[in-house]
Structure formats: C-alpha cells, structure tokens
Amino acid sequence: MSQVLPRRMGCGVGRAVCSVAFGRHRRVAPVAFALLQQQPRRTETTAPAPSLAELATRRLGGRGRTRGGGGEEGGCNIVQQHSQRAFSATSGGETNPIKAKITGSLLDARNQDLRIEVGMNVELPHTFVHADVKMFAALSGDDNPIHLDTDYAIKQGMFSGTIVHGLLVGSLFGTIFGVTFPGSVYLQQGFKFSRPVYVGKPVTALVEVTRRREREESNPPSTILFCSTHVYDDEGFCAVAGEAVVMLPFIQHGKGKDGGKD
C-alpha cells in the first residue's frame, strides 16, 4: 500500500493523507483513507487548447496531431509537409489526381527554372461527372435543373443532356494557374461560352502565355502574365474562350538565351 498510495494522490487532500500516513501520526491513517475514498474521482479530462500549429493544420486540411502526443513540433511538421505538397504538383504522399494530369511547356519551364516565354502553354484534360455538378450546385446554390435533371434538360429542346455550370468549367483555369505557379494571384478572367459542356463528356483546358511584364517597383516585386484561356470539347470545338491576367509574387527571370525583359 505504501507504494501504490503516492501514485494515486494528485490533489491537496491526497498530499495531506500522504503526510499523515507516512509521517509520525500513523494511527490516523485509516481515517485519512476514509476521507480520500469520499472524494469524487475525476472521470473526465479537459482537452488542452489547440496550438496555433494545430489550428493552421486544420485550416489547411491536414490530419493534425495525434491525440495526446506530438506537441507543437508534430503540428508544425504537418503544416510544413502540407506546404511542400502545395508547392509541388508531383510530390509524394497525398496526390490530387486532377493536378497530376496537367502537362505542357509552361509547367516544364517552372520545374526547370526556365524563363517564361510568349507561346508557352499548359493543358488539363478533365471530365466533369454528375457528382461534381451536384456538389457545385449545392455549394453555389445554382440548382438550375438543366444541370441536374436530364429529362428536364432534354425537354427544353436546346440540349441533349445535362450541362456543366459554366463557372465550374472555367475553374479549370484556376487549377492550372494554382498548380503551375503556387502563390499566383488572379487579377482578371474573362469568359465567352460558345458551346455547352455536357456532364460525362471529356474536355481539355488550354492556357497560353501571350504577354509578360515585370513590376519591380511593386512590393513584393512581381511578374504579370497575360494568357489566352480556352476549353475544347471532345469534338475539338471551343466551348469556352477568354483571357486571364495573373500575378506571380516574384520576378521570374529564369534561364534562357535572352536575360532581358520584355
């Protein structure tokens, strides 16, 4: 009993009982034990307040720390791992299947630290399924039945099936810019919808650089890319056309024959 008792005592009453049981007044130990048994046992533990690293991890969609261990170091490591995934389209671990389909000379230039030149492009093939359209309708509130109800869409006489939301199709451009240049910021995007994109039909988004400009006086210095943006359907017709202006939060010189600026 003398070995077990100290490990069970964590409150002030426990310390008092310990001093009585193991001090000079050993005769009152049974009374002390009776008092200890009357104390309510704590059956619930209060979780510590989450650290800033853990909160950041939750916001970034990471797994977070394992319960009851790891400390702030574990949370920081997970945040760092998430950042590394965000800055690489082909990194190991958790992989986004849409990002893995992006190819082109513009992405190659980024990976090889080459100078971005006019005419460089990147493309993304993708197929929007009904689940994608349904989720977008729930998030945006646009539940127009031409996107969700096949019978309704056909009865209108304009379409042969449900069509994808125009802005959902246009989001492919944002995916391309975000993957090719992590940290880039959209400044402008125009859309012209020429043909419907049907649910379940493959399309290909194409982005091509038409002009570039450096802004060394800005804070931070940045590179502005002007790009043409198109989405082609499975028959090769242009369904969406437009232009985009994107800011890269750095001066992109890269390696090339011409080290000057446009």
Side-chain angles (χ1 to χ4, degrees):
M1 182 63 70
S2 61
Q3 297 178 355
V4 177
L5 182 61
R7 287 199 292 267
R8 290 186 176 181
M9 296 177 180
C11 60
V13 175
R15 288 193 295 270
V17 173
C18 184
S19 63
V20 173
F22 299 95
R24 297 181 180 179
H25 304 285
R26 295 178 181 270
R27 296 181 181 179
V28 296
V31 178
F33 280 119
L35 291 174
L36 180 61
Q37 292 176 355
Q38 294 176 2
Q39 299 297 322
R41 295 185 179 181
R42 297 178 60 185
T43 58
E44 298 182 358
T45 57
T46 303
S51 64
L52 292 177
E54 186 173 359
L55 291 175
T57 302
R58 293 176 184 175
R59 293 291 297 174
L60 290 171
R63 297 178 181 177
R65 293 181 293 172
T66 56
R67 185 175 182 181
E72 294 186 359
E73 181 179 358
C76 291
N77 288 337
I78 292 177
V79 173
Q80 183 178 7
Q81 292 170 6
H82 182 93
S83 300
Q84 292 173 351
R85 290 197 301 269
F87 279 85
S88 176
T90 58
S91 61
E94 188 175 336
T95 303
N96 186 328
I98 297 180
K99 294 180 178 181
K101 297 186 294 184
I102 298 177
T103 58
S105 57
L106 190 58
L107 182 62
D108 295 339
R110 195 289 305 269
N111 292 334
Q112 301 174 25
D113 192 26
L114 299 177
R115 177 179 171 82
I116 297 175
E117 302 289 353
V118 173
M120 288 185 173
N121 58 66
V122 64
E123 65 179 39
L124 168 59
H126 186 64
T127 301
F128 293 100
V129 298
H130 181 71
D132 301 328
V133 176
K134 186 177 180 180
M135 181 178 296
F136 184 83
L139 293 174
S140 65
D142 182 359
D143 58 355
N144 189 330
I146 63 174
H147 304 302
L148 305 172
D149 189 331
T150 302
D151 293 336
Y152 180 91
I154 295 176
K155 288 179 181 179
Q156 301 308 302
M158 294 185 294
F159 309 113
S160 60
T162 52
I163 63 174
V164 185
H165 298 77
L167 290 182
L168 179 56
V169 178
S171 69
L172 293 176
F173 303 136
T175 302
I176 289 176
F177 289 124
V179 172
T180 307
F181 298 106
S184 58
V185 178
Y186 245 136
L187 298 182
Q188 181 177 326
Q189 174 69 64
F191 293 110
K192 180 180 179 181
F193 302 99
S194 304
R195 293 172 62 91
V197 172
Y198 288 98
V199 177
K201 296 292 185 178
V203 296
T204 300
L206 178 66
V207 171
E208 182 175 332
V209 178
T210 58
R211 185 161 60 96
R212 59 170 288 168
R213 178 166 59 91
E214 280 72 28
R215 296 197 309 180
E216 296 185 352
E217 72 284 356
S218 63
N219 186 19
S222 59
T223 299
I224 306 298
L225 296 182
F226 300 83
C227 304
S228 64
T229 56
H230 296 85
V231 174
Y232 297 93
D233 61 18
D234 57 336
E235 297 179 357
F237 293 101
C238 180
V240 182
E243 296 181 350
V245 182
V246 179
M247 179 183 70
L248 310 182
F250 53 87
I251 297 295
Q252 200 282 330
H253 292 300
K255 297 175 291 186
K257 296 181 180 180
D258 181 12
K261 304 174 183 178
D262 297 342

